[in-house]
């Protein structure tokens, strides 16, 4: 049974679209740049103990933007979520490269602002793959 599951998982991996081919192990290292502001915690279970300047990023892939109840977001990120932004690996990689530009483009509003002041120069796909691996089992 275990072998069968492995085969199924491999097939799925090959069937996945070719964009956002992130490396989760590399992304775990990249996340060191994020943890001054972001914790990753599943309820009481803290996976990465980090800062509280930004929201908890557990299960962020597949989640509507701006909806961590414990966090006070900027209004433009909330507006993007209300307009239908659900994080996937590609959008998350774009966002972390330049959060303000991402919101400007997503909202079509050249005055859009982000509370996240950090920009990740490279490795967005990797960090997105890492975050995708930290989510409730479906
Ligand atoms: C200097 C602090 C800081 C750093 C460093 C930082 N962030 Fe953020 N992040 C924030 C803040 C603050 C917000 C909330 C933005 C808003 O409300 O506009 C945020 C929001 C986010 C969101 C949206 C979350 C949601 O619930 O919709 C994601 C995704 C994210 N950050 C990922 C990252 C990743 C990945 C890194 C590392 C590459 C990172 N951040 C580094 C402060 C930071």
């Amino acid at each position: 049974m275990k072998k069968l599951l492995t085969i199924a998982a491999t097939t799925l991996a090959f069937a996945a679209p070719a964009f956002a081919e992130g490396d989760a192990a590399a992304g775990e290292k990249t996340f060191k740049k994020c943890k001054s502001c972001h914790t990753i915690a599943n309820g009481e279970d803290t996976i990465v103990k980090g800062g509280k300047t930004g929201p908890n990023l557990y299960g962020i892939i597949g989640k509507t933007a701006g909806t961590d109840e414990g966090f006070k977001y900027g209004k433009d990120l909330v507006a993007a979520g209300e307009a239908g932004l659900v994080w996937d690996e590609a959008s998350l990689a774009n966002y972390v490269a330049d959060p303000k530009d991402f919101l400007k483009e997503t909202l079509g509003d050249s005055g859009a602002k982000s509370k996240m002041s950090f920009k990740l120069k490279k490795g967005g796909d990797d960090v997105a793959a890492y975050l995708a691996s930290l989510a409730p089992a479906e």
Side-chain angles (χ1 to χ4, degrees), residues 45-135:
D45 179 15
T46 301
I47 299 156
V48 176
K49 189 170 160 44
K52 297 222 179 295
T53 309
N56 176 16
L57 293 180
Y58 181 77
I60 191 70
I61 300 292
K63 190 169 166 183
T64 299
T67 56
D68 177 359
E69 285 176 9
F71 188 77
K72 200 170 179 328
Y73 292 93
K75 68 173 177 39
D76 289 328
L77 185 60
V78 173
E82 284 169 358
L85 175 65
V86 174
W87 294 118
D88 60 14
E89 291 185 42
S91 58
L92 191 142
N94 279 336
Y95 174 78
V96 296
D98 191 332
K100 191 161 111 185
D101 265 9
F102 177 91
L103 289 177
K104 283 184 187 171
E105 277 176 33
T106 304
L107 298 170
D109 172 1
S110 59
K113 290 196 176 63
S114 172
K115 278 178 83 177
M116 174 161 149
S117 52
F118 179 82
K119 292 183 194 177
L120 183 69
K121 287 203 182 70
K122 58 179 170 57
D125 287 349
D126 295 339
V127 88
Y130 170 62
L131 290 170
S133 73
L134 300 173

